[in-house]
Amino acid sequence: MKRREFIILSGIGATSASLLSACGHPEEKLIPALIPDEEYVPGIDYWKPSTCGMCSAGCGIVVRTREHKANKIEGNSLHPVNRGALCARGQAGLEVLYNPDRIKAPMKRSGERAEGKWQEISWEEAIQLLGDKLSEIKSRGEANNIVFATFDTQGVLGIALKSLKAALGAKFWVTQERWSHPSSYGSGVNPVFDIANASYLLSFGARFLETWHSPVRYSLAYGEFRRSQGKARGRFIQIEPRMSLTGANADEWIPAAVGSEGLIALATAQVITREGLAKDSNAIKSLNQPLDSFKPEDIASTTGIDSERIIRLAREFASAERPLAIGTGTSSSRAVGDASDAAIQLLNKLVGNLNKPGGVQLPDAERFDALDRLPQFDHAGEIVDWGINDLSIRLNNSKSVNVPALLVHRVDPLRIAPRSAEWIKGIPFIASFSSFMDETTNLADLVLPDHTQLERWDLVSSVEPGSKGVVSLVQPVIAPLHKTMQTEDVLLSACRTLGFKEPDPEAFQSAESMVKYAGQRLNSNGQKTEGEDDQLKSFTEAGVWVGDLPAKGSSGQQQSGVSISPFDALRENKVNSPSLTLLCYEHAVLGMGDFANLPSLQELPDPMTSVIWGSWVEINPQTAASLGVNDGDLVEIATDHGSVRVPAVLYPAIRPDVIAIPYGQGHTKYGRYADGRGANVFDLNPYGAPGEAIAAKVTKVVGKGELIRFGTDLWQQMEIKR
Amino acid sequence: MKDLQPNSNSETITADLLRPLSKPGLGWYTTVTISGLLVLLAAVALGYQFTKGLGVWGINRPVFWALDITNFVFWIGISHAGTLISAILRVTGAEWRRPVTRCAEAITVFALMIGALFPIIHLGRPQFFYWLVPYPNERGLWPNFRSPLAWDFFAINTYLLGSIIYLYLPLIPDLALLRDKSSGLFRRVYGALCLGWRGTQLQWDRLERAVRAMAVIIIPVAVSVHTIVSWDFAMTIRPMWHSTMFGPYFVAGAIFSGIAALILAMAVIRRVFHLENYLRPVHFNNLGLLLLTMSLIWFYFTFAEYLTSWYGNEPEEMAVFRSKVSGVYAPLFWGTVVCCFAIPAPLLAIKRFRTIKGTMVASVLVVIGMWFERFLIIVPTLTQPKFTFNWGSYTPTWVELSLTAGTFGYFVLLYSIFSRLFPIIAIWEYKEGLPLGEHGEQTVVGVPDAELESV
Amino acid sequence: MKEETKSNKPQWGMVIDLDRCTGCEACVVACRVENNIPAVGPEEAAKGRSINWIRVERYVEGEYPDVKVKFMPVLCQHCEEAPCEPVCPVYATYRTDEGLNAQVYNRCVGTRYCANNCPYTVRFFNFFDPKWDAPLEKALNPEVSIRPRGVMEKCTFCIQRIRKGEEKAKDEEREVRDGDVVPACVQTCETKAMYFGNLADPTSEVSKLSKSNRAMRLLEDLGTKPRVIYLNKGD
Ligand SMILES: Nc1nc2c(c(=O)[nH]1)N[C@H]1C(S)=C(S)[C@@H](COP(=O)(O)OP(=O)(O)OC[C@H]3O[C@@H](n4cnc5c(=O)[nH]c(N)nc54)[C@H](O)[C@@H]3O)O[C@H]1N2
Ligand SMILES: Nc1nc2c(c(=O)[nH]1)N[C@H]1C(S)=C(S)[C@@H](COP(=O)(O)OP(=O)(O)OC[C@H]3O[C@@H](n4cnc5c(=O)[nH]c(N)nc54)[C@H](O)[C@@H]3O)O[C@H]1N2
Ligand code: SF4
Ligand code: SF4
Ligand code: SF4
Ligand code: SF4
Ligand code: SF4
Ligand SMILES: [Mo]
């Protein structure tokens, strides 16, 4: 059969396809791809740059659009964070935009609360309703008890909130769920770990390849760490109770006891100092007590790591050409969390790798936000910022305050903060800015659907090592799909109805105008300059701006004192550590649950267990055997706070005294793809921090758990064939 | 052509053998009703499948073939009953064949028709099955002659055509008989079909020569068909498929199941149409012996096949091997061995049990066993691809099960209808063998069983 | 069963560095989005009918605490001696003169024979018609045809991107070079573990890497001559 014949054939195919479409295959009106080289005429694509909004890393993206439809997201190769690459969730971004379960217009409650009866309204009315409510609260003088719950207060939202404060003439409560970086490098300082150039990487439970600060940035770095021109293959040790995907890529995985990272770090430091291997010995001076009490020999039984191993690690680390230790991520948000991070930082100090290639890079600049170029205006005091959990508990306990209104944006308190459920339900007025119906929004009185990431305007500013400022542009790649409005614009209009006077009406017109105003003034500090429009143009075409910031020349100088007293307690407690510890971790793609409504991510096999479309609990085979649990059995996991039923996965790479469950599922009101799938892990672990570890009981229960895998279970073993 | 002996009663014979055509009896009607219902069920299942898509089957990735191909191989196997048996018996001039041949030839045709259905209905897009046909077309497209599936296509069609002719030729004289005995429309139809047979010497000579020739030709065709079917598997590189002995292994299995089917068919006909003194213990005895032989041969092949796999100890082969002999498929596997060998062999070896009942029991077991043998050749291999990450499993849906049940119903239905329209025992061939042939030697048909103990 | 493809056209090939690959599966989603691969949903997925033209196979070795995990992205290997090709009765899968294992959906009748004979299990069958809940279909790539029920599909090496890249080179009156063609999976790879290019061009990155002493092919002993080359972890 000759090639020519295929050419004819495929031509036929095209027509036969459209014929088929007549009998109910609409999709097939598309052109078949397999048409021959000679006859291929590609259509015209328009690539629009923007910024991925699916986690806080802020990777640059370019979106391929044709006929006013977006059909592919790719990494922006100009962007310093992701250099063209994109993670799995970033790739699935279009399913947020085109999600069938989006809220398509503003609505007000027409039935009882949580009854799910809605009446569609116009934006004018919606904004009026919100404004009236707020002014009523203001007139009652309760404005400063309003709670605005959001994921992240950066960017234009920050300004919108300021104007709201100004308009209400009160400081009010803002909760921010977004994970913030361990502060042991000084508050607000975001170090960058130069993994790419490190030769020896000692990681204490940091899932830098999956979640953590910036998965793509650190995956790229990891690639170079493994293989790059004229550089030996780096060695990577991961210390964590449960092998994460990151741990699976380590050369050595060390299953230390839950929460013992800090101890191990100190013991390592102790060996380095006692053997005089420290490159920068005055680092010890920052300690508030001697290290002697943290000999590897003493802590072995607590950490479950024998002293020889720690001594070996210490020597390898200290003698390595470019050693680097990285922190525990949010796992550190426990009693000893900050101290753990400090202890890990101590290791870096001992080998003196601050701002050295392959070391810890501390930005040498003041806090930087491109939106500061907007005219400033004064507003009531600072934002009071706690996780919704902590806040609710506080407010609940001090019965004096009763919250008149809860405004939810990009968070789902009702699901993530079960302890606050009653408190939330008691709030007289709830407005949701969510793009999707979710557990909290379902309870709302007023729904003001937000644009999704590919429809909105925003600026994401960050400081890169040295004194580089990076500004990523978030701009619409297509016209809004539904009758939605960007939350910031809603808030600004509401403020106006409250009589708020912006310093520069033109600039503060909308998120778009704010972004453009700042975009025109990126190079200059605020003043309008010549060629501003070209400046804006090139910015909107590149999607990212990188510029120099005034160096403050104090980089890495902050010798934050390290208090290791919290460890004394830890060192002692060998006994009352629970027999089974529950780890809850961020699902690599479903995250905390916000992406459980994306079919492509639901059907993406979990890289370790290959599970799709559900939750599971990871149990060490020994433990499982002792519990009489087999792979796939339905088990009940119970903690002091609640219990869930999930299928068991025999997981060979987890400590026998630990079980682990990923967040991400257990929705009840989050659309067709998410609802009724898996378990809501927040019920087990209602603290405001990921990676919190608590005692759990496992019991086998009758019934069939839905455990769907793409690949076979972990016990199928095989060598790659040569 | 010698005319019939006056002393043997030709009329009664004709009457007996034609009775089914006039008064089939209650047994016939019940059979037709039951089998008809099964066919209906299958038709519904098939309609559902065509409207919804192949997804209504239990097949998946990596088990892309299952009951569809099982039934395909099974029925093609059954088809070997007829033609092959009757051909071999004719060629070797075994006298006792006379009442057996047509039962056998009919089986072939119908089993083939059913088997050949599956390559079509198992397609993802059955509407395009004709793309396997090498017909001249404006796209200048031909089927891929390198594909065993294309070979199947030709082999099966040849075989179908051949066996139809082979069924038809010996039917001619009886058709003439029917023409003479019937009236009206039937007379005209039979008349047309018997091609103006007059029973002249010339015609007899031609017929006999034609039949003998077909008998010789059909044997290699039959062998090639099942060899090629086996190559659908043997030509791949899948563990426990890629085997040089699959050709003979399949052919043996085919004849094995074929004989079993034949014995069952005969037993049923005998009861339903009260042909006790035509299909006599001797025939079951002789076929029983053939079945025994095939059972031994089948066991030999199976043993050889599995021993070599096991001894070779190749990881992928072993995975499949274990799943069969000790894994999930062990019950089916050992069940098969019991059905095809452990029980039939002794049963048939012991003369006392080689009765009509005995051979029937053996045959039922063999038919069941051979169906599962086909299943076990196909599914376990598919569930275990080379990379263990992709291992899978298979459970059939009601659709596949209904289709399977339907095939049996369809077969019985066709067979019943045939036996109502045409004498299921070749009248002329039977009479031809009546007592005292040319040189006065006894021929089996005439002899009382008592004297046959030595056969 | 050999069909020589003598050709002066580019010979496309891929290199995957297993030492860089972390198993993050960004490539998997990228392929899904680029090539209009539907999510089949939990019920179908449970039956083993989920479609991933590229997948990351995970293998676990050893017992706690000495557990080693291997990740291996597997896509159609575009074998030069593809076992899937000769068995197709209608030439719906065949070798192009660029060394691609092409799949002509319109010609496929759905025997699934090719899938049974693919040693890498990378062929996927459309058991039902694909479906996208509105308005998800708006995100479909107009340059990739939707595969109807009953046909086989698999990685095409992003044929649509290859065509574009070749067009570009032609317009600029030059040979194709590295960077002209970047499949979706390669483009997004979070660790830059994947490379794509012309194996016939000795100066291309893939040609160079394919000569590395870490280079190997999957199931080499079968003699399928894959066009996907893997680089082992070993230093
Ligand atoms: N017990 C416990 N509590 C925790 C944590 C923990 O680990 N354990 N982790 C904490 C941490 S780190 C985090 S990040 C939070 C996560 O908690 P949340 O931020 O509440 O995460 P989700 O539950 O995914 O809620 C995100 C909501 O945003 C809405 N949404 C999605 N897309 C859009 C959009 O484009 N626009 C708008 N306006 N809304 C959108 C959806 O309705 C979704 O319900 O949980 C915190 N709370
Ligand atoms: N791909 C992706 N990236 C993300 C996100 C996402 O959803 N997806 N979310 C972003 C957000 S909002 C956040 S908060 C971060 C969260 O990202 P991370 O900081 O990585 O938080 P987790 O992955 O939940 O937990 C980190 C590790 O700590 C372990 N761990 C849990 N509890 C304990 C403990 O008590 N002690 C010890 N030693 N270890 C423990 C967990 O098993 C896990 O391996 O990721 C951010 N980046
Ligand atoms: S890491 Fe992934 S999700 Fe986060 S911004 Fe980058 S691409 Fe988006
Ligand atoms: S990998 Fe499988 S599908 Fe791809 S060419 Fe090779 S045999 Fe064919
Ligand atoms: S499924 Fe399609 S491509 Fe595969 S062999 Fe059958 S017809 Fe050919
Ligand atoms: S090359 Fe293209 S089609 Fe093949 S796996 Fe990669 S993205 Fe998918
Ligand atoms: S994207 Fe790259 S690193 Fe991630 S799994 Fe695929 S090949 Fe491996
Ligand atoms: Mo977070």
Side-chain angles (χ1 to χ4, degrees):
Chain A
M1 166 123 180
K2 290 196 275 38
R3 175 166 187 74
R4 183 81 225 143
E5 291 155 354
F6 277 100
I7 292 158
I8 304 156
L9 161 63
S10 328
I12 302 284
T15 49
S16 76
S18 43
L19 286 179
L20 275 163
S21 64
C23 41
H25 306 266
E27 305 86 357
E28 292 179 28
K29 296 205 189 65
L30 300 167
I31 326 125
L34 218 140
I35 50 179
D37 1 12
E38 293 82 342
E39 293 158 32
Y40 193 90
V41 189
I44 301 93
D45 290 332
Y46 299 93
W47 292 86
K48 305 241 183 94
S50 186
T51 304
C52 178
M54 297 179 81
C55 87
S56 18
C59 299
I61 58 173
V62 287
V63 182
R64 187 177 67 201
T65 63
R66 190 191 284 189
E67 287 110 35
H68 311 298
K69 294 194 219 104
N71 61 50
K72 182 75 169 66
I73 302 180
E74 288 187 357
N76 180 350
S77 48
L78 301 174
H79 202 285
V81 168
N82 60 314
R83 293 169 8 222
L86 225 50
C87 81
R89 38 176 28 209
Q91 281 289 344
L94 291 173
E95 289 186 353
V96 176
L97 174 65
Y98 291 118
N99 195 290
D101 295 318
R102 274 184 65 178
I103 298 173
K104 301 188 174 56
M107 312 183 292
K108 70 173 182 218
R109 178 162 62 84
S110 66
E112 285 307 299
R113 259 199 178 174
E115 201 185 347
K117 290 222 184 76
W118 303 101
Q119 184 199 337
E120 192 174 315
I121 54 176
S122 72
W123 272 109
E124 295 66 29
E125 185 182 356
I127 291 166
Q128 196 57 50
L129 285 171
L130 181 64
D132 295 352
K133 193 68 187 174
L134 292 176
S135 52
E136 174 211 319
I137 294 169
K138 182 180 179 183
S139 57
R140 270 195 276 118
E142 296 176 358
N144 50 3
N145 289 339
I146 291 172
V147 174
F148 188 97
T150 183
F151 175 80
D152 182 353
T153 51
Q154 284 185 346
V156 286
L157 182 64
I159 297 174
L161 289 175
K162 279 190 206 150
S163 1
L164 189 56
K165 275 186 277 154
L168 292 169
K171 72 174 197 179
F172 54 89
W173 308 91
V174 172
T175 75
Q176 172 171 289
E177 293 300 348
R178 177 190 163 207
W179 174 73
S180 58
H181 195 276
S183 57
S184 56
Y185 291 91
S187 66
V189 184
N190 287 354
V192 173
F193 302 102
D194 187 8
I195 292 173
N197 296 305
S199 67
Y200 190 94
L201 177 60
L202 189 56
S203 158
F204 294 85
R207 293 171 67 196
F208 63 90
L209 294 174
E210 306 150 81
T211 56
W212 218 46
H213 312 181
S214 190
V216 176
R217 155 179 279 176
Y218 284 125
S219 294
L220 285 164
Y222 172 83
E224 293 170 33
F225 167 82
R226 282 306 189 199
R227 300 274 163 189
S228 53
Q229 263 56 28
K231 183 178 147 301
R233 183 173 186 276
R235 181 165 171 75
F236 165 30
I237 283 93
Q238 178 86 346
I239 301 172
E240 61 186 355
R242 170 223 170 234
M243 183 190 276
S244 62
L245 176 84
T246 309
N249 283 283
D251 301 294
E252 188 177 348
W253 171 68
I254 304 179
V258 170
S260 65
E261 294 79 4
L263 280 181
I264 297 170
L266 288 177
T268 316
Q270 200 271 343
V271 175
I272 291 176
T273 42
R274 84 176 171 205
E275 300 195 358
L277 301 170
K279 294 198 180 62
D280 171 5
S281 48
N282 62 0
I284 328 269
K285 301 200 182 71
S286 66
L287 299 187
N288 69 342
Q289 76 182 72
L291 275 171
D292 313 342
S293 45
F294 295 96
K295 299 194 188 62
E297 297 74 12
D298 307 342
I299 59 150
S301 55
T302 317
T303 60
I305 312 295
D306 54 46
S307 49
E308 295 73 30
R309 199 169 194 178
I310 293 185
I311 293 168
R312 197 193 84 231
L313 286 182
R315 291 173 181 160
E316 285 176 4
F317 183 76
S319 58
E321 190 188 351
R322 286 191 259 41
L324 173 62
I326 59 176
T328 64
T330 47
S331 62
S332 63
S333 57
R334 312 183 70 214
V336 296
D338 290 349
S340 297
D341 289 310
I344 291 156
Q345 188 205 353
L346 173 64
L347 288 175
N348 288 321
K349 284 182 177 161
L350 282 173
V351 296
N353 67 10
L354 290 196
N355 297 324
K356 300 249 175 63
V360 180
Q361 310 296 320
L362 295 171
D364 174 21
E366 301 299 345
R367 146 182 196 291
F368 161 69
D369 184 347
L371 288 163
D372 292 347
R373 278 139 174 63
L374 280 158
Q376 300 299 314
F377 57 92
D378 54 336
H379 47 81
E382 259 315 307
I383 285 175
V384 187
D385 182 353
W386 279 309
I388 186 81
N389 257 304
D390 314 347
L391 179 69
S392 62
I393 304 303
R394 286 166 202 268
L395 296 186
N396 221 4
N397 296 348
S398 61
K399 288 274 168 280
S400 55
V401 264
N402 42 24
V403 173
L406 169 65
L407 311 180
V408 280
H409 170 251
R410 266 185 144 295
V411 291
D412 190 1
L414 204 59
R415 192 178 71 89
I416 68 160
R419 288 191 304 176
S420 321
E422 283 321 303
W423 172 77
I424 293 167
K425 291 187 180 129
I427 297 174
F429 176 77
I430 300 177
S432 168
F433 297 92
S434 172
S435 300
F436 300 92
M437 186 52 61
D438 61 25
E439 290 72 5
T440 312
T441 308
N442 183 55
L443 194 74
D445 309 286
L446 185 61
V447 180
L448 309 133
D450 191 3
H451 288 342
T452 54
Q453 53 163 345
L454 298 178
E455 300 164 309
R456 40 196 316 272
W457 287 93
D458 205 345
L459 288 182
V460 182
S461 314
S462 65
V463 190
E464 289 292 310
S467 51
K468 285 250 169 292
V470 175
V471 183
S472 307
L473 171 67
V474 180
Q475 66 178 337
V477 298
I478 62 160
L481 213 58
H482 307 291
K483 292 204 223 99
T484 58
M485 189 186 282
Q486 183 164 350
T487 299
E488 291 79 357
D489 296 351
V490 179
L491 291 174
L492 285 173
S493 333
C495 292
R496 284 186 210 102
T497 65
L498 287 165
F500 167 62
K501 291 268 161 292
E502 321 87 333
D504 174 347
E506 192 203 317
F508 287 85
Q509 182 56 32
S510 65
E512 174 175 3
S513 64
M514 291 193 265
V515 167
K516 288 188 167 160
Y517 184 98
Q520 288 167 327
R521 296 162 173 79
L522 283 174
N523 298 338
S524 57
N525 284 353
Q527 312 78 1
K528 245 168 144 212
T529 55
E530 289 316 302
E532 71 206 10
D533 294 324
D534 319 353
Q535 205 182 117
L536 180 61
K537 189 163 174 297
S538 57
F539 179 48
T540 47
E541 281 165 3
V544 61
W545 173 91
V546 182
D548 290 315
L549 303 175
K552 69 179 187 319
S554 67
S555 149
Q557 296 323 303
Q558 62 271 79
Q559 287 289 353
S560 49
V562 182
S563 153
I564 55 177
S565 14
F567 292 109
D568 299 332
L570 228 176
R571 194 177 66 246
E572 263 58 73
N573 95 349
K574 309 178 169 84
V575 274
N576 56 20
S577 63
S579 59
L580 258 192
T581 301
L582 171 69
L583 289 191
C584 309
Y585 63 97
E586 198 114 6
H587 188 291
V589 290
L590 301 182
M592 303 313 295
D594 37 349
F595 299 119
N597 60 347
L598 308 189
S600 288
L601 296 186
Q602 279 279 12
E603 201 159 308
L604 184 69
D606 168 66
M608 294 301 284
T609 61
S610 206
V611 174
I612 51 180
W613 289 106
S615 301
W616 68 95
V617 58
E618 293 157 5
I619 308 180
N620 181 297
Q622 305 168 26
T623 317
S626 68
L627 293 162
V629 172
N630 286 324
D631 191 86
D633 286 355
L634 185 63
V635 295
E636 181 165 271
I637 311 296
T639 68
D640 301 347
H641 312 283
S643 71
V644 299
R645 292 185 167 202
V646 287
V649 165
L650 296 200
Y651 197 84
I654 185 169
R655 285 177 62 89
D657 61 357
V658 173
I659 60 171
I661 308 186
Y663 289 103
Q665 302 280 15
H667 280 276
T668 56
K669 288 273 181 304
Y670 200 35
R672 68 196 74 184
Y673 305 112
D675 288 353
R677 310 222 66 80
N680 181 6
V681 179
F682 292 101
D683 293 343
L684 290 177
N685 171 19
Y687 299 105
E692 194 59 49
I694 45 177
K697 266 187 45 266
V698 180
T699 42
K700 184 175 173 180
V701 292
V702 288
K704 185 83 197 66
E706 189 189 43
L707 182 63
I708 309 174
R709 282 199 185 91
F710 175 71
T712 49
D713 65 67
L714 287 159
W715 291 111
Q716 300 294 354
Q717 311 194 349
M718 191 205 83
E719 258 75 57
I720 294 175
K721 298 236 172 0
R722 301 296 154 104
Chain B
M1 181 73 202
K2 55 184 177 319
D3 49 338
L4 298 170
Q5 302 296 323
N7 62 352
S8 76
N9 184 340
S10 163
E11 279 58 37
T12 37
I13 296 173
T14 319
D16 289 344
L17 297 185
L18 288 185
R19 191 179 311 103
L21 282 66
S22 45
K23 319 188 190 51
L26 186 66
W28 187 86
Y29 285 104
T30 31
T31 325
V32 169
T33 324
I34 295 166
S35 51
L37 288 174
L38 285 177
V39 174
L40 208 64
L41 175 63
V44 172
L46 197 58
Y48 181 66
Q49 172 200 324
F50 283 166
T51 42
K52 282 263 189 291
L54 265 188
V56 301
W57 285 9
I59 52 172
N60 56 50
R61 174 181 154 283
V63 187
F64 289 102
W65 287 348
L67 295 200
D68 48 353
I69 302 302
T70 305
N71 286 316
F72 165 66
V73 179
F74 173 78
W75 283 106
I76 301 285
I78 295 292
S79 77
H80 282 54
T83 321
L84 209 53
I85 316 293
S86 93
I88 292 168
L89 296 181
R90 275 225 178 81
V91 171
T92 58
E95 274 301 329
W96 59 272
R97 73 165 194 278
R98 295 180 178 281
V100 175
T101 48
R102 187 163 297 155
C103 305
E105 289 147 16
I107 291 181
T108 300
V109 174
F110 300 139
L112 257 184
M113 287 166 63
I114 291 165
L117 272 182
F118 280 92
I120 297 173
I121 65 173
H122 100 299
L123 291 180
R125 302 201 295 173
Q127 66 269 35
F128 296 131
F129 80 90
Y130 63 89
W131 285 354
L132 273 77
V133 187
Y135 62 96
N137 54 45
E138 76 288 353
R139 318 178 203 163
L141 278 176
W142 295 97
N144 176 2
F145 295 108
R146 298 181 303 162
S147 168
L149 286 191
W151 310 343
D152 272 341
F153 182 81
F154 297 108
I156 291 170
N157 285 314
T158 320
Y159 190 35
L160 188 57
L161 192 68
S163 43
I164 288 172
I165 296 170
Y166 190 60
L167 170 67
Y168 179 65
L169 288 178
L171 203 56
I172 294 175
D174 289 351
L175 287 168
L177 184 70
L178 287 166
R179 174 198 53 196
D180 305 343
K181 289 197 171 296
S182 57
S183 61
L185 175 66
F186 277 94
R187 189 185 179 80
R188 256 182 278 117
V189 174
Y190 288 129
L193 285 174
C194 74
L195 309 168
W197 175 268
R198 298 246 162 301
T200 66
Q201 190 59 40
L202 181 64
Q203 289 180 322
W204 277 114
D205 294 349
R206 289 216 180 117
L207 179 70
E208 302 233 306
R209 235 182 290 114
V211 171
R212 205 166 289 115
M214 275 314 291
V216 176
I217 296 167
I218 209 75
I219 294 173
V221 175
V223 170
S224 70
V225 166
H226 224 55
T227 309
I228 288 172
V229 167
S230 81
W231 287 347
D232 289 349
F233 308 99
M235 292 298 172
T236 69
I237 49 177
R238 300 300 299 266
M240 298 206 80
W241 277 12
H242 188 54
S243 156
T244 50
M245 59 181 268
F246 254 35
Y249 188 20
F250 271 51
V251 174
I255 300 171
F256 188 29
S257 57
I259 296 170
L262 177 56
I263 291 176
L264 288 176
M266 284 165 54
V268 173
I269 291 164
R270 186 169 185 277
R271 288 291 256 90
V272 176
F273 296 140
H274 311 293
L275 298 174
E276 286 79 1
N277 41 11
Y278 295 84
L279 298 169
R280 305 240 288 288
V282 55
H283 303 107
F284 291 87
N285 176 75
N286 296 5
L287 286 172
L289 284 171
L290 276 180
L291 193 62
L292 173 59
T293 325
M294 295 319 296
S295 171
L296 297 171
I297 295 176
W298 175 85
F299 181 77
Y300 162 74
F301 272 121
T302 309
F303 181 74
E305 175 73 6
Y306 283 76
L307 179 72
T308 45
S309 304
W310 173 76
Y311 200 94
N313 197 20
E314 229 251 295
E316 285 112 24
E317 291 265 328
M318 279 318 280
V320 181
F321 178 87
R322 277 203 211 84
S323 72
K324 293 200 208 182
V325 302
S326 57
V328 271
Y329 298 104
L332 290 184
F333 176 78
W334 293 112
T336 306
V337 175
V338 170
C339 290
C340 295
F341 180 72
I343 297 180
L347 195 68
L348 296 166
I350 301 164
K351 193 133 172 257
R352 194 148 39 78
F353 296 144
R354 213 181 307 126
T355 58
I356 296 182
K357 278 205 174 45
T359 49
M360 268 181 74
V361 172
S363 303
V364 172
L365 291 176
V366 169
V367 169
I368 297 171
M370 282 311 290
W371 190 91
F372 279 106
E373 194 238 25
R374 307 319 196 179
F375 178 84
L376 284 170
I377 285 178
I378 293 157
V379 172
T381 292
L382 286 179
T383 54
Q384 295 160 87
K386 294 203 179 269
F387 291 147
T388 56
F389 187 78
N390 306 301
W391 283 14
S393 65
Y394 167 78
T395 19
T397 63
W398 71 269
V399 181
E400 289 155 302
L401 296 172
S402 313
L403 286 172
T404 308
T407 58
F408 289 87
Y410 193 30
F411 177 80
V412 175
L413 188 63
L414 290 169
Y415 208 83
S416 315
I417 293 169
F418 178 83
S419 60
R420 262 216 73 174
L421 298 176
F422 310 97
I424 195 67
I425 292 178
I427 300 176
W428 67 270
E429 195 172 10
Y430 184 84
K431 290 181 176 173
E432 187 188 41
L434 280 179
L436 297 187
E438 220 86 297
H439 319 295
E441 88 284 14
Q442 284 291 350
T443 58
V444 269
V445 268
V447 189
D449 291 337
E451 301 168 24
L452 273 166
E453 294 310 309
S454 56
V455 172
Chain C
M1 294 285 103
K2 189 173 162 74
E3 247 188 19
E4 268 305 341
T5 46
K6 293 257 165 297
S7 153
N8 50 8
K9 298 215 161 180
Q11 297 301 305
W12 299 109
M14 186 183 286
V15 174
I16 302 177
D17 188 336
L18 294 176
D19 200 15
R20 278 179 165 237
C21 174
T22 61
C24 73
E25 294 186 322
C27 48
V28 179
V29 183
C31 177
R32 179 177 290 277
V33 177
E34 170 71 9
N35 293 295
N36 300 339
I37 299 170
V40 298
E43 292 76 16
E44 283 300 289
K47 294 200 191 96
R49 294 169 180 182
S50 173
I51 303 177
N52 295 302
W53 287 4
I54 181 171
R55 63 172 173 266
V56 179
E57 297 191 355
R58 175 264 305 119
Y59 294 105
V60 178
E61 285 153 17
E63 305 244 322
Y64 180 87
D66 308 310
V67 183
K68 276 255 155 288
V69 178
K70 280 183 184 164
F71 296 103
M72 178 170 75
V74 181
L75 61 159
C76 171
Q77 307 286 301
H78 292 271
C79 316
E80 287 169 27
E81 302 287 338
C84 62
E85 287 169 10
V87 298
C88 174
V90 292
Y91 282 112
T93 184
Y94 73 105
R95 179 132 311 266
T96 73
D97 53 6
E98 298 178 354
L100 301 176
N101 169 253
Q103 181 70 19
V104 186
Y105 309 124
N106 331 83
R107 177 65 171 171
C108 174
V109 295
T111 64
R112 311 183 294 289
Y113 200 1
C114 53
N116 287 342
N117 207 27
C118 167
Y120 307 93
T121 329
V122 294
R123 297 188 145 256
F124 297 83
F125 185 69
N126 288 274
F127 291 90
F128 290 115
D129 278 313
K131 108 177 196 309
W132 287 267
D133 299 328
L136 280 173
E137 81 288 346
K138 286 201 167 78
L140 292 176
N141 181 352
E143 285 173 6
V144 177
S145 62
I146 304 302
R147 286 75 60 184
R149 162 222 302 181
V151 309
M152 194 58 71
E153 65 180 65
K154 56 156 203 76
C155 158
T156 64
F157 263 176
C158 283
I159 186 81
Q160 67 280 12
R161 289 178 179 229
I162 291 178
R163 296 287 169 263
K164 272 209 173 128
E166 290 172 343
E167 283 289 325
K168 184 156 154 285
K170 207 188 276 155
D171 296 350
E172 297 167 16
E173 283 148 354
R174 56 169 176 82
E175 294 297 298
V176 287
R177 55 166 123 87
D178 282 1
D180 282 342
V181 180
V182 185
C185 53
V186 177
Q187 192 283 328
T188 206
C189 178
E190 282 191 61
T191 59
K192 301 263 171 275
M194 303 172 109
Y195 308 81
F196 189 82
N198 179 3
L199 286 166
D201 166 7
T203 67
S204 72
E205 181 116 42
V206 283
S207 300
K208 295 206 199 90
L209 289 168
S210 67
K211 299 189 182 59
S212 149
N213 55 355
R214 292 194 293 137
M216 62 107 175
R217 289 166 170 78
L218 296 184
L219 304 174
E220 242 160 318
D221 51 345
L222 292 179
T224 51
K225 306 226 191 87
R227 281 277 173 98
V228 177
I229 296 123
Y230 291 80
L231 303 178
N232 276 319
K233 271 199 190 300
D235 318 52

